[in-house]
mmCIF file of all heavy atoms in Angstrom:
data_model
loop_
_atom_site.group_PDB
_atom_site.id
_atom_site.type_symbol
_atom_site.label_atom_id
_atom_site.label_comp_id
_atom_site.label_asym_id
_atom_site.label_seq_id
_atom_site.Cartn_x
_atom_site.Cartn_y
_atom_site.Cartn_z
ATOM 1 N N LEU D 6 88.196 92.634 5.171
ATOM 2 C CA LEU D 6 88.264 93.615 6.239
ATOM 3 C C LEU D 6 87.018 93.554 7.114
ATOM 4 O O LEU D 6 87.108 93.610 8.349
ATOM 5 C CB LEU D 6 88.434 95.010 5.640
ATOM 6 C CG LEU D 6 88.611 96.164 6.641
ATOM 7 C CD1 LEU D 6 89.853 95.932 7.507
ATOM 8 C CD2 LEU D 6 88.721 97.504 5.909
ATOM 9 N N ARG D 7 85.872 93.438 6.419
ATOM 10 C CA ARG D 7 84.634 93.317 7.201
ATOM 11 C C ARG D 7 84.639 92.025 8.039
ATOM 12 O O ARG D 7 84.214 92.018 9.190
ATOM 13 C CB ARG D 7 83.417 93.332 6.253
ATOM 14 C CG ARG D 7 83.112 94.718 5.674
ATOM 15 C CD ARG D 7 81.740 94.736 5.027
ATOM 16 N NE ARG D 7 81.680 93.863 3.878
ATOM 17 C CZ ARG D 7 81.983 94.224 2.622
ATOM 18 N NH1 ARG D 7 82.417 95.462 2.370
ATOM 19 N NH2 ARG D 7 81.906 93.352 1.631
ATOM 20 N N GLU D 8 85.141 90.918 7.388
ATOM 21 C CA GLU D 8 85.222 89.662 8.140
ATOM 22 C C GLU D 8 86.149 89.784 9.331
ATOM 23 O O GLU D 8 85.860 89.280 10.417
ATOM 24 C CB GLU D 8 85.703 88.540 7.212
ATOM 25 C CG GLU D 8 84.681 88.108 6.180
ATOM 26 C CD GLU D 8 85.222 87.022 5.265
ATOM 27 O OE1 GLU D 8 86.417 86.660 5.448
ATOM 28 O OE2 GLU D 8 84.487 86.560 4.391
ATOM 29 N N MET D 9 87.320 90.449 9.090
ATOM 30 C CA MET D 9 88.263 90.651 10.197
ATOM 31 C C MET D 9 87.633 91.484 11.298
ATOM 32 O O MET D 9 87.798 91.200 12.491
ATOM 33 C CB MET D 9 89.541 91.314 9.691
ATOM 34 C CG MET D 9 90.410 90.409 8.809
ATOM 35 S SD MET D 9 91.862 91.244 8.176
ATOM 36 C CE MET D 9 92.749 91.586 9.675
ATOM 37 N N GLU D 10 86.918 92.537 10.854
ATOM 38 C CA GLU D 10 86.257 93.364 11.860
ATOM 39 C C GLU D 10 85.224 92.551 12.634
ATOM 40 O O GLU D 10 85.129 92.639 13.870
ATOM 41 C CB GLU D 10 85.592 94.556 11.179
ATOM 42 C CG GLU D 10 86.587 95.584 10.612
ATOM 43 C CD GLU D 10 85.891 96.722 9.869
ATOM 44 O OE1 GLU D 10 84.650 96.631 9.719
ATOM 45 O OE2 GLU D 10 86.574 97.680 9.462
ATOM 46 N N VAL D 11 84.475 91.728 11.854
ATOM 47 C CA VAL D 11 83.469 90.886 12.511
ATOM 48 C C VAL D 11 84.147 89.890 13.452
ATOM 49 O O VAL D 11 83.705 89.649 14.584
ATOM 50 C CB VAL D 11 82.603 90.161 11.462
ATOM 51 C CG1 VAL D 11 81.698 89.129 12.141
ATOM 52 C CG2 VAL D 11 81.759 91.161 10.676
ATOM 53 N N SER D 12 85.282 89.264 12.930
ATOM 54 C CA SER D 12 86.000 88.294 13.753
ATOM 55 C C SER D 12 86.547 88.949 15.011
ATOM 56 O O SER D 12 86.476 88.384 16.119
ATOM 57 C CB SER D 12 87.143 87.669 12.952
ATOM 58 O OG SER D 12 86.647 86.977 11.820
ATOM 59 N N GLN D 13 87.133 90.145 14.829
ATOM 60 C CA GLN D 13 87.653 90.866 15.985
ATOM 61 C C GLN D 13 86.541 91.192 16.976
ATOM 62 O O GLN D 13 86.696 91.032 18.185
ATOM 63 C CB GLN D 13 88.361 92.152 15.541
ATOM 64 C CG GLN D 13 89.699 91.882 14.835
ATOM 65 C CD GLN D 13 90.359 93.169 14.373
ATOM 66 O OE1 GLN D 13 89.774 94.249 14.481
ATOM 67 N NE2 GLN D 13 91.573 93.049 13.842
ATOM 68 N N LYS D 14 85.418 91.648 16.385
ATOM 69 C CA LYS D 14 84.293 91.952 17.258
ATOM 70 C C LYS D 14 83.817 90.690 17.982
ATOM 71 O O LYS D 14 83.546 90.711 19.189
ATOM 72 C CB LYS D 14 83.142 92.560 16.457
ATOM 73 C CG LYS D 14 83.427 93.973 15.969
ATOM 74 C CD LYS D 14 82.244 94.505 15.168
ATOM 75 C CE LYS D 14 82.525 95.947 14.680
ATOM 76 N NZ LYS D 14 81.388 96.482 13.881
ATOM 77 N N LEU D 15 83.766 89.567 17.200
ATOM 78 C CA LEU D 15 83.356 88.297 17.816
ATOM 79 C C LEU D 15 84.360 87.847 18.876
ATOM 80 O O LEU D 15 83.975 87.361 19.945
ATOM 81 C CB LEU D 15 83.196 87.223 16.746
ATOM 82 C CG LEU D 15 82.006 87.381 15.800
ATOM 83 C CD1 LEU D 15 82.061 86.322 14.707
ATOM 84 C CD2 LEU D 15 80.688 87.280 16.561
ATOM 85 N N ALA D 16 85.675 87.998 18.520
ATOM 86 C CA ALA D 16 86.711 87.601 19.480
ATOM 87 C C ALA D 16 86.636 88.448 20.737
ATOM 88 O O ALA D 16 86.724 87.941 21.857
ATOM 89 C CB ALA D 16 88.096 87.731 18.842
ATOM 90 N N VAL D 17 86.482 89.740 20.526
ATOM 91 C CA VAL D 17 86.365 90.627 21.694
ATOM 92 C C VAL D 17 85.122 90.271 22.494
ATOM 93 O O VAL D 17 85.145 90.195 23.727
ATOM 94 C CB VAL D 17 86.333 92.104 21.230
ATOM 95 C CG1 VAL D 17 85.997 93.013 22.406
ATOM 96 C CG2 VAL D 17 87.672 92.495 20.623
ATOM 97 N N THR D 18 84.031 90.057 21.731
ATOM 98 C CA THR D 18 82.784 89.679 22.419
ATOM 99 C C THR D 18 82.944 88.365 23.176
ATOM 100 O O THR D 18 82.502 88.235 24.325
ATOM 101 C CB THR D 18 81.643 89.553 21.389
ATOM 102 O OG1 THR D 18 81.526 90.776 20.668
ATOM 103 C CG2 THR D 18 80.334 89.232 22.079
ATOM 104 N N GLU D 19 83.607 87.383 22.487
ATOM 105 C CA GLU D 19 83.825 86.088 23.128
ATOM 106 C C GLU D 19 84.729 86.208 24.347
ATOM 107 O O GLU D 19 84.477 85.595 25.392
ATOM 108 C CB GLU D 19 84.439 85.113 22.118
ATOM 109 C CG GLU D 19 84.576 83.682 22.616
ATOM 110 C CD GLU D 19 83.228 83.024 22.798
ATOM 111 O OE1 GLU D 19 82.237 83.440 22.145
ATOM 112 O OE2 GLU D 19 83.159 82.077 23.612
ATOM 113 N N ALA D 20 85.813 87.029 24.186
ATOM 114 C CA ALA D 20 86.715 87.236 25.311
ATOM 115 C C ALA D 20 85.999 87.898 26.478
ATOM 116 O O ALA D 20 86.145 87.510 27.642
ATOM 117 C CB ALA D 20 87.920 88.064 24.873
ATOM 118 N N VAL D 21 85.228 88.909 26.133
ATOM 119 C CA VAL D 21 84.473 89.595 27.185
ATOM 120 C C VAL D 21 83.483 88.638 27.826
ATOM 121 O O VAL D 21 83.325 88.601 29.058
ATOM 122 C CB VAL D 21 83.738 90.829 26.590
ATOM 123 C CG1 VAL D 21 82.787 91.425 27.620
ATOM 124 C CG2 VAL D 21 84.748 91.875 26.142
ATOM 125 N N LYS D 22 82.843 87.824 26.958
ATOM 126 C CA LYS D 22 81.888 86.846 27.467
ATOM 127 C C LYS D 22 82.558 85.838 28.374
ATOM 128 O O LYS D 22 82.047 85.490 29.442
ATOM 129 C CB LYS D 22 81.205 86.151 26.293
ATOM 130 C CG LYS D 22 80.107 85.191 26.697
ATOM 131 C CD LYS D 22 79.460 84.584 25.478
ATOM 132 C CE LYS D 22 78.357 83.593 25.883
ATOM 133 N NZ LYS D 22 77.732 82.975 24.674
ATOM 134 N N GLN D 23 83.773 85.355 27.933
ATOM 135 C CA GLN D 23 84.503 84.385 28.738
ATOM 136 C C GLN D 23 84.943 84.987 30.069
ATOM 137 O O GLN D 23 84.847 84.351 31.126
ATOM 138 C CB GLN D 23 85.718 83.873 27.971
ATOM 139 C CG GLN D 23 86.482 82.760 28.669
ATOM 140 C CD GLN D 23 87.592 82.206 27.810
ATOM 141 O OE1 GLN D 23 87.766 82.663 26.672
ATOM 142 N NE2 GLN D 23 88.326 81.240 28.342
ATOM 143 N N VAL D 24 85.447 86.240 29.978
ATOM 144 C CA VAL D 24 85.855 86.917 31.221
ATOM 145 C C VAL D 24 84.665 87.094 32.140
ATOM 146 O O VAL D 24 84.752 86.895 33.364
ATOM 147 C CB VAL D 24 86.509 88.273 30.879
ATOM 148 C CG1 VAL D 24 86.724 89.100 32.156
ATOM 149 C CG2 VAL D 24 87.834 88.065 30.168
ATOM 150 N N GLU D 25 83.530 87.460 31.539
ATOM 151 C CA GLU D 25 82.323 87.614 32.345
ATOM 152 C C GLU D 25 81.901 86.289 32.958
ATOM 153 O O GLU D 25 81.483 86.229 34.122
ATOM 154 C CB GLU D 25 81.191 88.200 31.485
ATOM 155 C CG GLU D 25 81.427 89.660 31.087
ATOM 156 C CD GLU D 25 80.322 90.182 30.171
ATOM 157 O OE1 GLU D 25 79.520 89.337 29.701
ATOM 158 O OE2 GLU D 25 80.273 91.400 29.938
ATOM 159 N N GLN D 26 82.033 85.196 32.128
ATOM 160 C CA GLN D 26 81.693 83.874 32.662
ATOM 161 C C GLN D 26 82.615 83.486 33.796
ATOM 162 O O GLN D 26 82.172 82.978 34.840
ATOM 163 C CB GLN D 26 81.753 82.822 31.559
ATOM 164 C CG GLN D 26 80.631 82.927 30.538
ATOM 165 C CD GLN D 26 80.759 81.874 29.446
ATOM 166 O OE1 GLN D 26 81.785 81.179 29.352
ATOM 167 N NE2 GLN D 26 79.752 81.784 28.583
ATOM 168 N N GLU D 27 83.957 83.710 33.587
ATOM 169 C CA GLU D 27 84.899 83.411 34.649
ATOM 170 C C GLU D 27 84.620 84.240 35.897
ATOM 171 O O GLU D 27 84.697 83.749 37.033
ATOM 172 C CB GLU D 27 86.322 83.655 34.163
ATOM 173 C CG GLU D 27 86.786 82.653 33.108
ATOM 174 C CD GLU D 27 88.185 82.955 32.608
ATOM 175 O OE1 GLU D 27 88.739 83.996 33.031
ATOM 176 O OE2 GLU D 27 88.728 82.160 31.806
ATOM 177 N N ARG D 28 84.282 85.509 35.641
ATOM 178 C CA ARG D 28 83.950 86.373 36.779
ATOM 179 C C ARG D 28 82.723 85.852 37.516
ATOM 180 O O ARG D 28 82.688 85.779 38.749
ATOM 181 C CB ARG D 28 83.699 87.795 36.261
ATOM 182 C CG ARG D 28 83.334 88.809 37.360
ATOM 183 C CD ARG D 28 82.687 90.033 36.761
ATOM 184 N NE ARG D 28 81.427 89.679 36.109
ATOM 185 C CZ ARG D 28 80.758 90.508 35.305
ATOM 186 N NH1 ARG D 28 81.241 91.716 35.036
ATOM 187 N NH2 ARG D 28 79.623 90.123 34.752
ATOM 188 N N ASP D 29 81.725 85.455 36.683
ATOM 189 C CA ASP D 29 80.498 84.923 37.297
ATOM 190 C C ASP D 29 80.772 83.608 38.030
ATOM 191 O O ASP D 29 80.250 83.381 39.126
ATOM 192 C CB ASP D 29 79.435 84.706 36.215
ATOM 193 C CG ASP D 29 78.963 86.026 35.587
ATOM 194 O OD1 ASP D 29 79.142 87.076 36.241
ATOM 195 O OD2 ASP D 29 78.438 85.993 34.455
ATOM 196 N N GLN D 30 81.623 82.733 37.383
ATOM 197 C CA GLN D 30 81.967 81.465 38.038
ATOM 198 C C GLN D 30 82.714 81.711 39.344
ATOM 199 O O GLN D 30 82.445 81.071 40.360
ATOM 200 C CB GLN D 30 82.808 80.596 37.109
ATOM 201 C CG GLN D 30 82.045 80.040 35.917
ATOM 202 C CD GLN D 30 82.945 79.249 34.978
ATOM 203 O OE1 GLN D 30 84.150 79.169 35.192
ATOM 204 N NE2 GLN D 30 82.344 78.683 33.931
ATOM 205 N N PHE D 31 83.688 82.620 39.284
ATOM 206 C CA PHE D 31 84.436 82.951 40.489
ATOM 207 C C PHE D 31 83.523 83.524 41.563
ATOM 208 O O PHE D 31 83.610 83.173 42.743
ATOM 209 C CB PHE D 31 85.544 83.951 40.156
ATOM 210 C CG PHE D 31 86.371 84.370 41.341
ATOM 211 C CD1 PHE D 31 87.315 83.503 41.888
ATOM 212 C CD2 PHE D 31 86.183 85.613 41.932
ATOM 213 C CE1 PHE D 31 88.066 83.882 42.979
ATOM 214 C CE2 PHE D 31 86.939 85.985 43.025
ATOM 215 C CZ PHE D 31 87.881 85.118 43.554
ATOM 216 N N LYS D 32 82.619 84.394 41.083
ATOM 217 C CA LYS D 32 81.673 84.991 42.023
ATOM 218 C C LYS D 32 80.768 83.922 42.612
ATOM 219 O O LYS D 32 80.537 83.880 43.834
ATOM 220 C CB LYS D 32 80.853 86.040 41.288
ATOM 221 C CG LYS D 32 79.898 86.813 42.188
ATOM 222 C CD LYS D 32 79.164 87.883 41.397
ATOM 223 C CE LYS D 32 78.185 88.644 42.290
ATOM 224 N NZ LYS D 32 77.450 89.683 41.513
ATOM 225 N N ASN D 33 80.293 82.999 41.710
ATOM 226 C CA ASN D 33 79.443 81.919 42.197
ATOM 227 C C ASN D 33 80.209 80.982 43.127
ATOM 228 O O ASN D 33 79.683 80.531 44.146
ATOM 229 C CB ASN D 33 78.869 81.125 41.021
ATOM 230 C CG ASN D 33 77.890 81.938 40.192
ATOM 231 O OD1 ASN D 33 77.232 82.843 40.711
ATOM 232 N ND2 ASN D 33 77.789 81.628 38.911
ATOM 233 N N GLY D 34 81.493 80.679 42.720
ATOM 234 C CA GLY D 34 82.319 79.841 43.570
ATOM 235 C C GLY D 34 82.552 80.477 44.925
ATOM 236 O O GLY D 34 82.509 79.797 45.959
ATOM 237 N N LEU D 35 82.822 81.783 44.907
ATOM 238 C CA LEU D 35 83.031 82.493 46.163
ATOM 239 C C LEU D 35 81.765 82.467 47.005
ATOM 240 O O LEU D 35 81.814 82.226 48.227
ATOM 241 C CB LEU D 35 83.461 83.927 45.875
ATOM 242 C CG LEU D 35 83.788 84.808 47.087
ATOM 243 C CD1 LEU D 35 84.946 84.196 47.878
ATOM 244 C CD2 LEU D 35 84.134 86.229 46.648
ATOM 245 N N GLU D 36 80.652 82.689 46.328
ATOM 246 C CA GLU D 36 79.385 82.653 47.056
ATOM 247 C C GLU D 36 79.098 81.254 47.598
ATOM 248 O O GLU D 36 78.653 81.103 48.737
ATOM 249 C CB GLU D 36 78.247 83.110 46.130
ATOM 250 C CG GLU D 36 78.319 84.597 45.760
ATOM 251 C CD GLU D 36 77.223 84.985 44.777
ATOM 252 O OE1 GLU D 36 76.509 84.071 44.312
ATOM 253 O OE2 GLU D 36 77.092 86.196 44.485
ATOM 254 N N GLN D 37 79.398 80.227 46.732
ATOM 255 C CA GLN D 37 79.196 78.851 47.195
ATOM 256 C C GLN D 37 80.124 78.511 48.350
ATOM 257 O O GLN D 37 79.712 77.836 49.305
ATOM 258 C CB GLN D 37 79.414 77.873 46.044
ATOM 259 C CG GLN D 37 78.338 77.935 44.976
ATOM 260 C CD GLN D 37 78.616 76.989 43.832
ATOM 261 O OE1 GLN D 37 79.637 76.291 43.834
ATOM 262 N NE2 GLN D 37 77.720 76.967 42.847
ATOM 263 N N ALA D 38 81.405 78.964 48.245
ATOM 264 C CA ALA D 38 82.348 78.706 49.331
ATOM 265 C C ALA D 38 81.882 79.381 50.609
ATOM 266 O O ALA D 38 81.934 78.791 51.698
ATOM 267 C CB ALA D 38 83.741 79.199 48.940
ATOM 268 N N GLN D 39 81.430 80.631 50.457
ATOM 269 C CA GLN D 39 80.923 81.331 51.631
ATOM 270 C C GLN D 39 79.691 80.620 52.200
ATOM 271 O O GLN D 39 79.560 80.466 53.411
ATOM 272 C CB GLN D 39 80.600 82.785 51.269
ATOM 273 C CG GLN D 39 81.841 83.626 50.946
ATOM 274 C CD GLN D 39 81.486 85.020 50.473
ATOM 275 O OE1 GLN D 39 80.322 85.322 50.188
ATOM 276 N NE2 GLN D 39 82.496 85.892 50.392
ATOM 277 N N LEU D 40 78.820 80.187 51.245
ATOM 278 C CA LEU D 40 77.628 79.467 51.684
ATOM 279 C C LEU D 40 78.003 78.141 52.350
ATOM 280 O O LEU D 40 77.444 77.775 53.396
ATOM 281 C CB LEU D 40 76.713 79.216 50.487
ATOM 282 C CG LEU D 40 75.409 78.456 50.767
ATOM 283 C CD1 LEU D 40 74.558 79.228 51.773
ATOM 284 C CD2 LEU D 40 74.640 78.226 49.477
ATOM 285 N N LYS D 41 78.981 77.403 51.705
ATOM 286 C CA LYS D 41 79.433 76.136 52.275
ATOM 287 C C LYS D 41 80.055 76.348 53.648
ATOM 288 O O LYS D 41 79.795 75.580 54.588
ATOM 289 C CB LYS D 41 80.437 75.485 51.338
ATOM 290 C CG LYS D 41 80.905 74.123 51.790
ATOM 291 C CD LYS D 41 81.865 73.517 50.786
ATOM 292 C CE LYS D 41 82.350 72.159 51.250
ATOM 293 N NZ LYS D 41 83.321 71.568 50.271
ATOM 294 N N LYS D 42 80.881 77.407 53.747
ATOM 295 C CA LYS D 42 81.504 77.701 55.028
ATOM 296 C C LYS D 42 80.446 78.018 56.074
ATOM 297 O O LYS D 42 80.507 77.547 57.215
ATOM 298 C CB LYS D 42 82.457 78.874 54.867
ATOM 299 C CG LYS D 42 83.213 79.235 56.133
ATOM 300 C CD LYS D 42 84.157 80.384 55.897
ATOM 301 C CE LYS D 42 84.884 80.764 57.186
ATOM 302 N NZ LYS D 42 85.776 81.925 56.996
ATOM 303 N N ALA D 43 79.459 78.819 55.637
ATOM 304 C CA ALA D 43 78.391 79.156 56.575
ATOM 305 C C ALA D 43 77.610 77.919 56.992
ATOM 306 O O ALA D 43 77.282 77.735 58.172
ATOM 307 C CB ALA D 43 77.453 80.197 55.934
ATOM 308 N N LEU D 44 77.347 77.033 55.974
ATOM 309 C CA LEU D 44 76.621 75.795 56.286
ATOM 310 C C LEU D 44 77.436 74.898 57.201
ATOM 311 O O LEU D 44 76.896 74.288 58.130
ATOM 312 C CB LEU D 44 76.267 75.058 54.984
ATOM 313 C CG LEU D 44 75.218 75.732 54.087
ATOM 314 C CD1 LEU D 44 75.078 74.973 52.783
ATOM 315 C CD2 LEU D 44 73.874 75.827 54.808
ATOM 316 N N GLU D 45 78.768 74.789 56.900
ATOM 317 C CA GLU D 45 79.626 73.973 57.755
ATOM 318 C C GLU D 45 79.677 74.536 59.172
ATOM 319 O O GLU D 45 79.632 73.781 60.149
ATOM 320 C CB GLU D 45 81.029 73.896 57.165
ATOM 321 C CG GLU D 45 81.119 73.047 55.906
ATOM 322 C CD GLU D 45 82.518 73.027 55.330
ATOM 323 O OE1 GLU D 45 83.362 73.807 55.820
ATOM 324 O OE2 GLU D 45 82.760 72.231 54.395
ATOM 325 N N GLU D 46 79.817 75.863 59.257
ATOM 326 C CA GLU D 46 79.821 76.477 60.581
ATOM 327 C C GLU D 46 78.511 76.218 61.305
ATOM 328 O O GLU D 46 78.488 75.898 62.498
ATOM 329 C CB GLU D 46 80.082 77.982 60.462
ATOM 330 C CG GLU D 46 81.508 78.317 60.015
ATOM 331 C CD GLU D 46 81.704 79.812 59.837
ATOM 332 O OE1 GLU D 46 80.691 80.547 59.912
ATOM 333 O OE2 GLU D 46 82.859 80.243 59.625
ATOM 334 N N LYS D 47 77.434 76.337 60.524
ATOM 335 C CA LYS D 47 76.120 76.090 61.118
ATOM 336 C C LYS D 47 75.981 74.627 61.540
ATOM 337 O O LYS D 47 75.487 74.325 62.630
ATOM 338 C CB LYS D 47 75.021 76.461 60.123
ATOM 339 C CG LYS D 47 73.624 76.355 60.692
ATOM 340 C CD LYS D 47 72.583 76.808 59.687
ATOM 341 C CE LYS D 47 71.175 76.679 60.253
ATOM 342 N NZ LYS D 47 70.137 77.105 59.282
ATOM 343 N N ALA D 48 76.443 73.694 60.606
ATOM 344 C CA ALA D 48 76.373 72.274 60.928
ATOM 345 C C ALA D 48 77.249 71.946 62.131
ATOM 346 O O ALA D 48 76.865 71.153 62.999
ATOM 347 C CB ALA D 48 76.793 71.439 59.717
#
């Protein structure tokens, strides 16, 4: 039970971490796209 709780906590933590990473990647991608667009417009 403790292992399951730990696994669940780890899974939840991992899922949250992955979602946060995806969110950060999407945010970074969006920022990069905006930056690229701005650079292209500037170029």
